[in-house]
Amino acid sequence: MTSGTGTDTGSGSTGSTGTGAGSADTDTGTGSDLGTGSADTDTGTGNTGPADTGGTAGTAGTEDAAAGPVLSGGAARPRGALLRLLALAVLLGGLAAWAALDGARLLAGFGERVDALGAWAPLVFALCYALAVTALLPGAVLSATAGALFGVPVGAATVLVGATLGASLSFGIGRRLGRPAVERYAGTGRLARLDAFLARRGFLAVLVMRLVPLFPFNLVNYGAGVSGVRFLPFVTATALGIVPGTLTLVGLGGALRQPGSPLLWPALGALVVLSVGGGWAARRYGSTGKGGSVKATEKKQR
């Protein structure tokens, strides 16, 4: 950028100081230095006083020229955020419809096909489980199938790996497509405070939802990605929270494969305990945790 010591000679009155008369102070040197090729000249600020040197006018012209692209880019961002959110809604709607109409046929005979792979069967099953979770297919059926195919120890490990991978993938999709719109349009109301709370207490929130079988596992993955929950607490809470339910469903699948197995009734009892106890924990958490924190935040702001 050129200095204002001899370049601003619009009036030709004070060439040594570069103050000029102000009316003809267009600071064309700034336009050439910026390389924008535009005629963005700050002519209205030329008569701000005798202390307004050519360098100051050049700086103002630079700021005005630099502000142009920022404003135009900012105007495109809201549209992009809404388009991403719309794409996520369409994706989830399409996956839900596909899972409801064709999911049962896809899962029919899945266990036999995977079992034929021999030693590679657990690894392939875990990868397919991850894709099924992302595609909104019912994970409970696959967990029971893993128990029937591999038994409780190997089946539980296979399900834990596949479910965690699928949850991470769904979280990433939700974060990429849905999070920008939430960040831009959450505002400063209750939704913004809830989002901030989830950012701080995401581990506990996800852990409670994982312990309760009533919460849809697949939708929680996408919802956590859209919300302010951070990735590491989400993955950690998921891996820990799904252990009881995984052991229960895998044990139930293994027991159903062997009629009269002693694991049948303990697995059914554990499923009931998880449903009832998890529901109680969710209500308690909702009343004293999330809701209480949001209400306390509202009172402080008032």
Side-chain angles (χ1 to χ4, degrees):
M1 189 178 218
T2 59
S3 63
T5 58
T7 58
D8 267 345
T9 58
S11 64
S13 57
T14 56
S16 60
T17 60
T19 56
S23 59
D25 188 8
T26 59
D27 197 12
T28 57
T30 302
S32 62
D33 288 343
L34 290 175
T36 58
S38 64
D40 187 12
T41 58
D42 197 3
T43 58
T45 60
N47 52 2
T48 56
D52 187 9
T53 63
T56 305
T59 303
T62 305
E63 293 175 352
D64 293 341
V70 174
L71 291 176
S72 61
R77 289 175 185 172
R79 183 181 302 175
L82 290 177
L83 288 177
R84 288 186 182 185
L85 184 62
L86 178 61
L88 178 62
V90 171
L91 175 64
L92 294 180
L95 290 175
W98 174 75
L101 297 176
D102 209 31
R105 183 189 64 81
L106 183 65
L107 294 177
F110 172 74
E112 289 76 7
R113 293 192 296 271
V114 173
D115 193 28
L117 298 175
W120 292 96
L123 177 60
V124 174
F125 192 97
L127 295 177
C128 292
Y129 196 108
L131 295 177
V133 166
T134 308
L136 303 183
L137 291 174
V141 176
L142 292 175
S143 298
T145 302
L149 290 178
F150 311 120
V152 175
V154 177
T158 302
V159 170
L160 288 175
V161 172
T164 305
L165 287 177
S168 301
L169 181 58
S170 302
F171 180 94
I173 295 174
R175 179 59 52 94
R176 178 68 176 173
L177 297 180
R179 182 61 184 167
V182 174
E183 289 179 339
R184 188 168 190 88
Y185 297 107
T188 58
R190 188 177 183 86
L191 179 60
R193 290 189 291 272
L194 176 61
D195 188 67
F197 170 79
L198 291 176
R200 297 191 308 270
R201 305 291 297 276
F203 175 84
L204 183 59
V206 174
L207 182 64
V208 170
M209 287 187 286
R210 295 313 193 194
L211 291 173
V212 182
L214 302 178
F215 288 102
F217 181 84
N218 301 341
L219 293 181
V220 169
N221 300 330
Y222 287 99
V226 173
S227 71
V229 178
R230 294 188 297 273
F231 178 71
L232 184 58
F234 168 80
V235 173
T236 306
T238 296
L240 295 176
I242 63 176
V243 170
T246 297
L247 293 175
T248 299
L249 293 173
V250 171
L252 183 61
L256 291 177
R257 185 178 184 180
Q258 301 174 356
S261 173
L263 293 176
L264 178 59
W265 292 110
L268 291 175
L271 186 62
V272 172
V273 170
L274 282 176
S275 301
V276 176
W280 174 83
R283 288 193 298 270
R284 180 177 179 82
Y285 171 75
S287 60
T288 62
K290 178 175 64 178
S293 298
V294 173
K295 291 179 181 178
T297 304
E298 290 177 350
K299 290 181 180 179
K300 288 181 180 179
Q301 292 182 353
R302 290 175 184 174

